[in-house]
Every structure is written in C-alpha cells, then in structure tokens.
Amino acid sequence: MFRYYLELALRSFRHNKALTALIVLAIGIGIGASMTMLTVLHVMSGDPLPSRSAKLFYPHLEPGPSNFGGPGFDAGEEFTWPDAMNLLRAHRAIRQAMMAGGQVAVSPGGGRKSFFSTGRYVSSEFFAMFGAPFVAGTGWTSQAGQERARVVVLNGELARKLFGNQSAVGRAVHLQGREFRVIGVLHDWHPEPLFYGGASGDWAFKSDDHFFLPLNTAMDLKLPTLGSEACWGPSSRTGDTCSWLQFWVELDTPAQVAAYRHFLDDYWRDQKAHGRFPQNVSPELHGLMQRLQALHLVPSDVKLQAWLAIGFLVVCLFNTIGLMLAKFLRRGGEVSVRRAMGATRRDIFLQLGVEAAILGLAGGLLGLLFTWLGLWLVRQRPDAYARLAHLDLAMVLGVFVLAVVASMLAGLLPAWRACRIPPALKLKVQ
C-alpha cells in the first residue's frame, strides 16, 4: 500500500510542480534557518568529554569577602594557591589536578622566527584524569613535578610545527628563553569547549593549548600566566588572597562523590576556624556539565537568535499549511473517485500523510543545503565560537527528522479537510 501511496504522491508532484516547489522551498528555508542556530547551540553546549564527563568534578570554595568584585562576581570560580595545594596534597579523589593557563615565546631554532604559543601549566595527574591521548611518550611523574623538572608535553600541531614529521620525544625546545625536554606528544587534543580552563570571557571557545608544563616548574621560572586573576588583598600568586587556579577531581562512584563533599565541608570549617572564608557560603562540588552551565558559556544573543529562528520556522510552516491546503483541495475529484471506489477516509488521510512526509523529506534535503550555507556564514563572524559551527552526524539526522515531522504536522489540517470532501457532490460536478 505504501508503494501505491508513493506513486500517487509522485504523480501529484508532476501535476502540481509549482505548488510542490513552493512547499519544499518553504520547508527548506524554515529548516535551514532553525537548524543553523540549533547547531550553533548544540556545539556550544555539547559534552567535551562524553566518555569521562560523569566522573569529573570541580570543587567550589568561596575564599573572598562578600563585598568584593561587585554583583555577580564569584571569586570562588578559581582557586587560591594554598587551597589548591591543600586539596592536591590531601589526595582524597581518585585523581586530582591543579592548573593555570600560560603563554610563552617559542624559539624553534634553525634561524626560524620565534612566536608566542598558549598552553597550560598542570600537575602530573592532568593527562590521566582527562584521558589526553598520547601518540608518543608520556606525561611526567608526581616526583618530577615536585622537583620542578624542565620537561614539556607538546600537542600534535606544535610538535609538527617545530620538528616536522620527525619524532619530538627527547628533543629540546626553548620556551620563554629556557630549554625544556619533550617527553610526550598528544594527538591534536582540543576538547571543545575547553572545559578545564578559567572562567573569564569566552576562553572556552577561542583558547587552544599547544603545550603542557609542570605547574611547579612554571611557578619556579615565573613564566607568564594567562587567564583571570582576582585579588582582594596583597597580590601574590602563592598567597591566600588571590584566586587564579583551576582544580579538578575524578570521582568514580556516588559514594566517592558523597565522601568528597564531606571532605570539602570539613576543609571549609577548618579554614573558617583559622580566620579564612569570611562568607557563610558552603562549599559545592559541580559536575563537568553543571560547571559549564553555571559559567553561562552560551551568549544570550545566540539563544535569542535561536528562538527567532524557531519562530521563523513556525511562520514557514503556516505558509506550508496554506500551500498544502490549496494542493490537497485541488485534488477533490481524485479523492472523490477513490472514495467512490471504496477507499475510506482513513485511507485518504494516510495517502496524503505519506505525501506530506515525502514533501518534508525533500524540504529536509533543501534545508540541509541552507544549513550548510548558514553555518558557513556563521564561521565568517569574528565571534570566538564561530569556528565550531559545523554539522555533525546527529545534527544531519536532526535536519531530516525535524523536516519530516514539521511537514507532517503542517499536513494534518489539509489532509483532514480533503478527507471530508463529499464524493457525491464532486462526482456530480465532474
């Protein structure tokens, strides 16, 4: 029966080419506009580490005074050096890592011109906790980090830029005028959004880490940092009145999460007893996705544009309803003949439903082309997130699902009206 309905639909398309084209165009434009913005939202709010995000948590302590930073400012988004070191040394999680962003001058040697590169100063468990993929070598040990070893892990792009296709492991590289030994190379690892970085601005979408150095080494050499820093007292990187570090923990089970929350509560009470943490803000433990949501990474104008695009899709669907109404009612004679030959209203409704679905499929194909065009235009914008605007398989399937569902919804009223055409009256007129 489906094949028969398909043949009727194709015959209808040939007889009403103009109306068919207008319906497909209306669906395609609406789908293209809405899916462009939904794709942008999708990539900006996606899970950067789907296989590990459920086990990654970010503690939140509020070390600053209540009147610091103005409304909405939260000094607890970053860690002070003493707090991060205390939690690191306590080692109450499966893994834990403290880190900060940095930017150094890279001297490639061989007469080549120096350039600046961004990276991360991290503690030793960073790579294992986040599952950073090594293609050669490995990270450094905790002891090497404490001994301020001059070693570095390069991301794939910087390794190729410095050493071409030759192995980088064991080679020397000069960063900020100091020599470091390459002990590992990552496989172009760029989580998006860059979830483990600081809370300032649009860091999550425009930062890329090209190298990773031991945090203690960077502190010892006074390498320049990159990211937000809030001080409510004497400005000192190692003092307890400046927050500038990030701290993540890995917890595998709900029992471990509960135990770590209890540990944070005890730590907070102990620090208050020593005159710190003037605000009565209890510590919190945020999951990876919860932290990304709390940081409001998706700009409000992107959300507004997405709602406007969905509204435009609704307008297009109302136009589609009118076009389908004209198309289906114009076939009153054909419907009446089928009814006279024994077809029920249900049969007619299914036939027109199949036709609406095929129109939606064609509109989805056109909408996919408009979505690609829309995302290309988004990528031309200067916004930091623009480079992420690409379709993945899930969104491609979403284009067709949305198009077919929207088209079938738009076809409900026209199909119902066509089913109720009195066959006797139409046959008598003909």
Side-chain angles (χ1 to χ4, degrees):
M1 188 59 73
F2 176 78
R3 183 177 179 181
Y4 176 59
Y5 292 159
L6 183 61
E7 291 175 355
L8 291 178
L10 295 177
R11 188 183 305 165
S12 167
F13 297 161
R14 287 194 294 269
H15 290 170
N16 298 284
K17 293 178 182 175
L19 268 178
T20 300
L22 286 174
I23 292 171
V24 171
L25 183 63
I27 296 173
I29 292 175
I31 293 296
S34 58
M35 288 306 295
T36 296
M37 295 314 303
L38 290 177
T39 300
V40 173
L41 277 180
H42 170 70
V43 298
M44 294 184 71
S45 57
D47 187 342
L49 286 183
S51 61
R52 307 183 68 85
S53 59
K55 299 178 180 179
L56 299 176
F57 295 85
Y58 191 89
H60 182 278
L61 299 171
E62 194 61 66
S66 59
N67 59 350
F68 176 73
F73 182 81
D74 187 359
E77 294 292 355
E78 318 286 355
F79 274 75
T80 65
W81 179 268
D83 290 326
M85 286 300 293
N86 289 338
L87 298 187
L88 187 75
R89 288 167 178 160
H91 210 281
R92 294 300 186 93
I94 302 300
R95 294 188 181 97
Q96 41 268 300
M98 55 189 291
M99 63 206 73
Q103 184 179 46
V104 297
V106 182
S107 302
R112 290 181 291 176
K113 190 176 181 181
S114 298
F115 57 90
F116 284 95
S117 183
T118 56
R120 193 78 36 183
Y121 311 139
V122 303
S123 56
S124 60
E125 293 186 324
F126 173 91
F127 304 102
M129 185 167 69
F130 293 143
F134 280 88
V135 292
T138 183
W140 54 86
T141 64
S142 175
Q143 183 178 356
Q146 293 173 7
E147 293 175 350
R148 296 162 173 74
R150 296 197 179 187
V151 294
V152 63
V153 171
L154 301 180
N155 222 332
E157 183 182 358
L158 181 57
R160 290 190 298 273
K161 188 172 183 178
L162 292 175
F163 305 108
N165 294 326
Q166 299 178 1
S167 173
V169 176
R171 306 281 293 271
V173 60
H174 288 82
L175 305 176
Q176 203 68 15
R178 279 88 167 188
E179 182 176 297
F180 292 83
R181 180 170 57 88
V182 180
I183 62 171
V185 177
L186 297 180
H187 178 67
D188 291 328
W189 188 59
H190 301 291
E192 292 174 339
L194 192 64
F195 64 95
Y196 55 74
S200 62
D202 51 1
W203 55 268
F205 300 108
K206 71 178 180 182
S207 295
D208 277 328
D209 287 334
H210 301 288
F211 65 86
F212 300 88
L213 291 172
L215 180 59
N216 284 329
T217 304
M219 289 290 290
D220 189 46
L221 298 176
K222 294 182 173 54
L223 297 182
T225 59
L226 193 66
S228 65
E229 178 177 340
C231 293
W232 51 94
S235 178
S236 169
R237 288 284 168 81
T238 56
D240 63 358
T241 56
C242 286
S243 61
W244 59 285
L245 292 155
Q246 297 82 50
F247 188 86
W248 287 86
V249 297
E250 178 181 344
L251 303 165
D252 291 345
T253 66
Q256 292 173 356
V257 174
Y260 202 85
R261 290 186 195 278
H262 185 70
F263 162 69
L264 284 178
D265 288 338
D266 290 344
Y267 178 79
W268 177 71
R269 279 191 289 269
D270 179 71
Q271 293 298 308
K272 282 188 74 70
H274 286 80
R276 297 190 60 215
F277 297 164
Q279 298 187 61
N280 288 321
V281 179
S282 299
E284 297 177 2
L285 187 62
H286 297 156
L288 189 154
M289 296 306 295
Q290 186 182 4
R291 172 167 168 76
L292 294 184
Q293 291 172 6
L295 293 177
H296 305 293
L297 296 184
V298 182
S300 56
D301 62 330
V302 172
K303 295 179 179 177
L304 176 61
Q305 291 170 26
W307 280 112
L308 291 175
I310 292 174
F312 181 70
L313 172 62
V314 173
V315 172
C316 290
L317 289 183
F318 275 112
N319 287 327
T320 302
I321 291 174
L323 293 169
M324 283 191 178
L325 204 56
K327 180 178 175 64
F328 290 170
L329 293 183
R330 183 178 291 183
R331 294 160 58 192
E334 173 194 332
V335 170
S336 298
V337 170
R338 287 206 62 213
R339 290 289 311 280
M341 296 179 67
T344 64
R345 286 179 175 174
R346 178 177 175 277
D347 295 331
I348 301 299
F349 192 83
L350 286 176
Q351 172 197 336
L352 298 179
V354 169
E355 186 170 334
I358 296 172
L359 286 168
L361 203 58
L365 188 59
L366 185 62
L368 185 62
L369 296 176
F370 282 130
T371 303
W372 269 322
L373 177 61
L375 292 175
W376 179 81
L377 292 174
V378 170
R379 290 196 293 275
Q380 310 312 308
R381 296 172 57 173
D383 303 292
Y385 61 82
R387 64 188 177 90
L388 304 179
H390 291 277
L391 273 175
D392 56 21
L393 180 60
M395 296 309 291
V396 170
L397 294 176
V399 167
F400 288 102
V401 170
L402 181 60
V404 172
V405 171
S407 178
M408 293 186 71
L409 288 176
L412 286 176
L413 176 63
W416 179 77
R417 289 286 303 274
C419 291
R420 299 185 65 82
I421 294 174
L425 179 63
K426 278 288 181 183
L427 291 174
K428 186 176 180 180
V429 170
Q430 289 183 343

